[in-house]
Amino acid sequence: MNPTKVRNMDEFARLSGVSRPTLSKYFNDPNSVRPSSRARIEQALEQYDFRPNLYAMNQNRRLTKTVGIVVPYLADPFFAEIARNIEQRIIEAGYRPALYSAHGRPDLEVDILDGLRSLKPAGVLLAPLGRASVKSEIESFCRDVPTVLFDSNIEGMGAAFIGSDNASFVNQTVDYLVRSGSPPCFFEMKNPANPNANKRRLAYLRRMEELGFQPHVISVDGTGWAFEEIGRKGGLDVLERKALPTNTVLCSNDRLAIGFLSACCESSVRVGIGPDCDLRVASHDDHPFSRFTCPPLTTAAHDYEAVSERAVRTLFELIESGGKLDERLEVLYPARLILRGSA
C-alpha cells in the first residue's frame, strides 16, 4: 500500500481516475457501478490509504437519498437551465433531486423549507429570494439541514455560497461598450425581484466613475418576475419621451433587454451596430433565448456548468463531513462576454 494518506473523496477520485459521482455510487452500493469501474476503485483502495467517512455515510443512510433544489422562480429560463444542470449531477451521484419553486413568494419559500425538513433530505441546494426572504427561517433551516446557497447570497447563512461575480458581468460589458462606441446608460427595474440586480447597478456606477464617464441609471416601474413585459412597457415610455441620454443601453438582465428590444421594434427604432442603426443594446446573463432575438443580443454569460458542478460537489463534501465545513466557503465565477448583433 502507498503510505500517503488520502484526505478526502476528491483526492481519491483524482488518484483512482474515477469520477466523484461514480465513487459516491460505489460507496453507497458497489453493485450500482460498472464492473470495470468497480475493479478500478477496489484496486485503488488496495493501493492507497483511504477509507470514506463511515459516520457521515451511515448518517446519510438514516436520512433519505433526496437532495432538495429550491429556486425563486422556475419559469425564469436562467433558473430552469441551472436547475437542469444541478439535477443531472445529483442523479449521476446516485441521489434523487426534488425541485421546488418559490414563485417569488417569501411565504411559499418558508413552506417549502418546512416541507423539506420533514423529508429529511441528505442536503439542499438553495437559491433564496434574497432581500425578500424571511432570514430567520433561512438561518434556522441551514442549522438543521446541510445547505449550500447558490445564485443569491445571504451573508453568513448556509455552509457555502456558489455563484457568479456580478462585477465581472458589468465590467466586461461597460468596458466593451465604451471601447466600441458611446458610454452606456443602465436600464433597470425600480424594485428588482432578484438581489443580483442591485449588485449590477452598483458595479455599473463604480465602473463608469473609474473610467471617467457620467453614469446614467434609468429605473422603470414594475414589480415581480414578468421582466419582459416590464422591459417592454418601460422601454416604450422612455423611447416615447426621448429620455435616453445616450444611444447605448445596458440592461440589468437579458429578460428586461428582450422586452426593451420589443419596445424598440414597436417604436421603429433600429437596434444594432450598422450605420443605419439608432441604438446599441447589451445585457447580462446569456438567457437561452438571447441568441434568437432580433438582432441577437450581446450579453455577458453565466458559467452554468462551473456553478452547478461546484455547488453539487460542495454539497456532497458537506454531507460527507457530517454537515459542517471548517469555514463558510464563497466561490464566485466570472462572466464571459458574448458579442452579437445588438451591440
Side-chain angles (χ1 to χ4, degrees):
M1 175 180 288
N2 187 319
T4 302
K5 178 69 175 177
V6 179
R7 294 170 296 177
N8 53 46
M9 191 86 83
D10 282 333
E11 190 172 332
F12 184 66
R14 179 174 57 79
L15 292 169
S16 65
V18 177
S19 72
R20 176 72 169 61
T22 300
L23 287 176
S24 294
K25 290 177 69 175
Y26 172 85
F27 287 120
N28 281 297
D29 178 9
N31 293 320
S32 67
V33 302
R34 292 180 300 180
S36 59
S37 298
R38 185 166 67 248
R40 182 181 294 181
I41 294 167
E42 290 170 354
Q43 181 181 1
L45 286 170
E46 292 178 3
Q47 183 177 358
Y48 297 101
D49 181 16
F50 173 73
R51 291 296 179 270
N53 186 331
L54 295 177
Y55 168 77
M57 294 187 69
N58 288 334
Q59 182 190 52
N60 295 338
R61 288 188 179 114
R62 289 200 299 272
L63 301 173
T64 66
K65 297 289 290 180
T66 298
V67 171
I69 308 166
V70 185
V71 299
Y73 197 72
L74 191 56
D76 188 312
F78 164 74
F79 290 112
E81 178 64 15
I82 199 164
R84 181 186 67 81
N85 275 272
I86 287 172
E87 278 188 309
Q88 288 179 334
R89 286 170 168 79
I90 290 170
I91 292 168
E92 289 169 0
Y95 286 75
R96 294 186 298 270
L99 179 59
Y100 301 86
S101 171
H103 297 280
R105 291 170 43 194
D107 61 324
L108 185 53
E109 184 176 66
V110 171
D111 288 346
I112 288 168
L113 297 181
D114 285 343
L116 275 168
R117 261 199 196 92
S118 65
L119 288 178
K120 298 185 182 299
V124 168
L125 290 156
L126 169 64
L129 294 173
R131 289 184 305 163
S133 294
V134 182
K135 291 183 174 54
S136 60
E137 296 288 345
I138 302 285
E139 186 176 19
S140 173
F141 181 82
C142 292
R143 283 198 303 265
D144 296 342
V145 179
T147 303
V148 170
L149 271 56
F150 69 98
D151 181 63
S152 177
N153 194 13
I154 300 180
E155 295 294 335
M157 297 190 192
F161 169 69
I162 313 297
S164 298
D165 183 352
N166 285 287
S168 166
F169 281 72
V170 175
N171 290 345
Q172 290 190 59
T173 51
V174 169
D175 288 357
Y176 166 70
L177 293 171
V178 166
R179 286 197 312 269
S180 57
S182 60
C185 60
F186 191 78
F187 184 83
E188 65 162 14
M189 292 168 55
K190 281 183 182 175
N191 299 296
N194 190 304
N196 290 325
N198 294 315
K199 296 178 180 178
R200 292 176 182 180
R201 183 199 327 109
L202 293 174
Y204 164 79
L205 294 172
R206 184 169 55 250
R207 191 59 178 160
M208 289 288 282
E209 290 170 0
E210 288 172 352
L211 295 173
F213 295 106
Q214 176 67 38
H216 298 280
V217 175
I218 298 174
S219 300
V220 299
D221 291 331
T223 59
W225 290 82
F227 298 163
E228 292 86 358
E229 183 58 21
I230 292 168
R232 174 183 168 274
K233 288 182 177 179
L236 287 171
D237 176 62
V238 298
L239 291 171
E240 182 180 354
R241 292 189 293 109
K242 301 187 184 304
L244 293 175
T246 172
N247 66 355
T248 303
V249 179
L250 177 59
C251 296
S252 179
N253 65 64
D254 284 357
R255 292 184 60 198
L256 272 179
I258 289 170
F260 185 83
L261 289 176
S262 176
C264 290
C265 181
E266 290 184 44
S267 304
S268 300
V269 172
R270 191 174 178 87
V271 175
I273 55 178
D276 58 339
C277 293
D278 305 300
L279 287 179
R280 295 187 304 157
V281 177
S283 188
H284 307 104
D285 287 338
D286 195 26
H287 181 298
F289 300 160
S290 62
R291 71 188 64 186
F292 302 116
T293 58
C294 186
L297 188 59
T298 287
T299 185
H302 288 276
D303 192 337
Y304 292 97
E305 293 285 334
V307 170
S308 58
E309 188 279 332
R310 185 61 185 268
V312 172
R313 174 157 55 93
T314 301
L315 181 64
F316 286 138
E317 290 172 358
L318 178 62
I319 294 168
E320 289 166 7
S321 68
K324 291 184 179 180
L325 299 178
D326 292 337
E327 59 183 3
R328 190 175 190 266
L329 177 69
E330 290 194 14
V331 180
L332 299 178
Y333 288 92
R336 177 171 56 92
L337 184 64
I338 299 177
L339 300 182
R340 300 191 180 112
S342 69

